[in-house]
């Protein structure tokens, strides 16, 4: 509760913030803990940041939870991440009671059946929520998403000369959502790692050395304050 006492009120907010929740492993290593402890801390922090984003009135938050490339990790680590996800999904407090609408983006069909069912439930249980729209990118890859979109477009039989940027956008997992205005990557890496590569064409970026489990609401405030000083020109003057 206490973290919300000094809740910031922003005159303006980006409509859509996307976060790459990176640095869990290094956070654990610094403390001589197993990587699993880092993922547990990262997950706890994710819930706190999502709640905070909802409190300040953010409309869309998209977080990167697991990429199509993360399957390269040892099976134990992948299993651990999926178990953390199961726990999150089983606890409706995380979204329903918070009036947060949750949606998963990524190749969900490739996941274990029990997770798919939990995802279905979470999406249905929260579909009437009017607060934050929280997208969780899971088994998500930007290139994979574009390949899926192209397949859908080809299957629908649209003639080539009818295809435009909207056709692509409307066939991505994020169809119907505004593009992210602002992408935050903690952990000291300066790359997108295949995140929202179509949607981020004109996003603003904020990089920081903070490791994800240490990323507090005050850091989100700092990032937003920085965003609000930027001049987005979209190629104009
Ligand atoms: C992000 O933290 C979590 C996932 C990619 C699932 P990492 O596990 O990548 O943490 P680092 O980058 O090794 O510190
Ligand atoms: C990006 O982090 C994916 C998530 C945070 C889920 P990674 O740790 O997988 O990214 P790389 O491998 O450093 O580019
Ligand atoms: Mg990483």
């Amino acid at each position: 509760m206490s973290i919300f006492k000094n809740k910031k009120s922003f005159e303006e907010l980006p409509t859509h913030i996307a976060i790459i929740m990176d640095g869990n492993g290094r956070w654990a290593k610094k403390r001589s803990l197993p990587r699993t402890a880092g993922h547990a801390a990262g997950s706890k922090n994710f819930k706190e940041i999502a709640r905070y984003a909802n409190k300040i009135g953010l409309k869309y938050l998209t977080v990167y939870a697991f990429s199509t490339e993360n399957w390269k990790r040892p099976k134990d680590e992948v299993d651990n991440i999926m178990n953390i996800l199961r726990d999150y999904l089983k606890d409706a407090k995380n979204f329903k009671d918070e009036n947060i609408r949750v949606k998963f983006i990524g190749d969900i069909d490739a996941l274990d059946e029990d997770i798919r069912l939990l995802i279905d439930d979470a999406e249905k249980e929260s579909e009437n929520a009017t607060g934050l729209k929280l997208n969780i990118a899971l088994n998500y890859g930007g290139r994979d998403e574009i390949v899926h979109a192209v397949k859908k477009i080809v299957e629908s039989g649209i003639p080539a000369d009818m295809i435009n940027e909207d056709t692509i956008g409307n066939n991505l997992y994020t169809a119907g959502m505004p593009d992210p205005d602002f992408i935050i990557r903690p952990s000291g890496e300066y790359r997108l790692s295949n995140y929202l590569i179509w949607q981020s064409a004109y996003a603003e970026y904020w990089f920081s050395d903070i490791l994800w489990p240490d990323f507090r609401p005050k850091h989100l405030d700092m990032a937003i304050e920085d965003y609000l000083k930027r001049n987005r020109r979209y190629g104009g003057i």
Side-chain angles (χ1 to χ4, degrees):
M1 277 291 125
S2 60
I3 59 160
F4 302 127
K5 261 195 214 143
N6 302 318
K7 177 172 91 72
K8 278 255 174 191
S9 91
F10 291 97
E11 270 175 33
E12 227 184 311
L13 279 172
T15 303
H16 186 171
I17 295 180
I19 303 182
I20 301 174
M21 304 191 291
D22 195 18
N24 295 349
R26 280 162 285 172
W27 182 92
K29 193 168 181 207
K30 259 174 58 183
R31 288 162 179 77
S32 307
L33 294 169
R35 291 179 61 86
T36 49
H39 294 311
S43 160
K44 184 166 170 270
N45 196 49
F46 150 65
K47 291 181 233 174
E48 187 168 317
I49 293 293
R51 251 181 263 135
Y52 182 69
N54 190 31
K55 297 273 173 194
I56 61 174
L58 186 72
K59 291 206 165 58
Y60 290 88
L61 176 68
T62 300
V63 295
Y64 209 177
F66 191 87
S67 77
T68 46
E69 286 70 38
N70 288 146
W71 297 106
K72 290 179 193 153
R73 297 186 179 205
K75 185 176 181 300
D76 278 1
E77 178 164 346
V78 172
D79 288 348
N80 171 249
I81 293 169
M82 293 300 161
N83 284 334
I84 288 173
L85 177 76
R86 285 182 174 92
D87 290 344
Y88 170 77
L89 287 167
K90 282 176 190 159
D91 191 355
K93 273 207 299 304
N94 290 325
F95 36 90
K96 200 177 168 211
D97 301 354
E98 295 283 341
N99 196 27
I100 291 175
R101 180 169 177 172
V102 70
K103 182 181 158 59
F104 281 77
I105 61 168
D107 187 6
I108 303 305
D109 292 346
L111 299 172
D112 286 351
E113 193 189 1
D114 72 305
I115 294 189
R116 281 188 274 128
L117 293 173
L118 286 168
I119 286 175
D120 263 6
D121 282 352
E123 290 184 342
K124 281 199 193 100
E125 276 179 39
S126 71
E127 70 187 353
N128 296 319
T130 54
L132 176 74
K133 291 182 173 60
L134 172 65
N135 302 310
I136 301 178
L138 182 67
N139 196 19
Y140 175 89
R143 289 186 172 182
D144 185 61
E145 180 182 36
I146 294 169
V147 170
H148 269 84
V150 170
K151 284 184 180 165
K152 278 207 279 176
I153 293 165
V154 170
E155 277 165 10
S156 74
I158 301 176
D161 62 358
M162 298 286 286
I163 294 175
N164 57 29
E165 292 185 6
D166 287 341
T167 321
I168 310 275
N170 292 336
N171 283 284
L172 298 175
Y173 300 125
T174 52
M177 295 176 205
D179 285 339
D181 300 292
F182 194 35
I183 298 191
I184 295 173
R185 181 163 197 162
S187 91
E189 310 295 355
Y190 298 84
R191 54 178 172 258
L192 273 182
S193 302
N194 205 9
Y195 195 37
L196 302 171
I197 52 174
W198 173 277
Q199 299 88 333
S200 64
Y202 261 106
E204 297 291 325
Y205 294 85
W206 198 80
F207 295 101
S208 151
D209 287 345
I210 303 158
L211 300 172
W212 172 248
D214 291 329
F215 188 94
R216 301 272 89 88
K218 71 174 181 202
H219 299 119
L220 186 63
D221 289 349
M222 276 165 54
I224 293 170
E225 270 157 23
D226 200 358
Y227 169 87
L228 294 175
K229 292 187 202 128
R230 309 225 184 146
N231 182 2
R232 301 180 74 188
R233 284 185 287 276
Y234 299 99
I237 52 171

